[in-house]
Amino acid sequence: MESVTATDLARNTREILEKVATHGQTVMVERNNMVVAQIGPPQKTMTVRQALSGLMLVPTLSVSQANKWLTDSKGVFEEGVKNPWE
């Protein structure tokens, strides 16, 4: 992990961001010999379409299976919504 001073970051922003973007490198920014920031690549994300794409592989439940699942998932919970502040 590379460290740069805040002054170096101000002077070489383009080059530092290029390292992060092209090499996935994380850069620590220091001011007065203390790390004050970290610049790194964004976290990997996926679209909704990508996240849900595997769901089509799951077999569909029959009506009776769906009703049983619904009953089982409710367990001992009561019907309706309660106000927690009452």
Side-chain angles (χ1 to χ4, degrees):
M1 205 173 318
E2 182 180 350
S3 292
V4 297
T5 64
T7 303
D8 288 338
L9 176 63
R11 290 181 182 156
N12 304 303
T13 303
R14 182 176 298 191
E15 292 83 11
I16 292 169
L17 291 178
E18 190 65 25
K19 287 179 185 178
V20 173
T22 59
H23 303 295
Q25 186 175 351
T26 299
V27 178
M28 306 303 282
V29 181
E30 295 180 355
R31 184 187 305 155
N32 298 325
N33 295 319
M34 285 183 43
V35 175
V36 295
Q38 176 178 317
I39 302 173
Q43 293 181 353
K44 301 275 188 213
T45 59
M46 66 174 66
T47 64
V48 171
R49 183 183 305 268
Q50 292 169 328
L52 298 177
S53 65
L55 290 179
M56 294 304 159
L57 302 175
V58 177
T60 307
L61 297 177
S62 68
V63 173
S64 63
Q65 289 172 320
N67 287 332
K68 181 172 178 359
W69 175 84
L70 185 58
T71 303
D72 291 346
S73 67
K74 288 182 180 178
V76 296
F77 296 108
E78 297 177 16
E79 290 290 328
V81 178
K82 291 185 177 180
N83 184 345
W85 291 275
E86 288 183 348

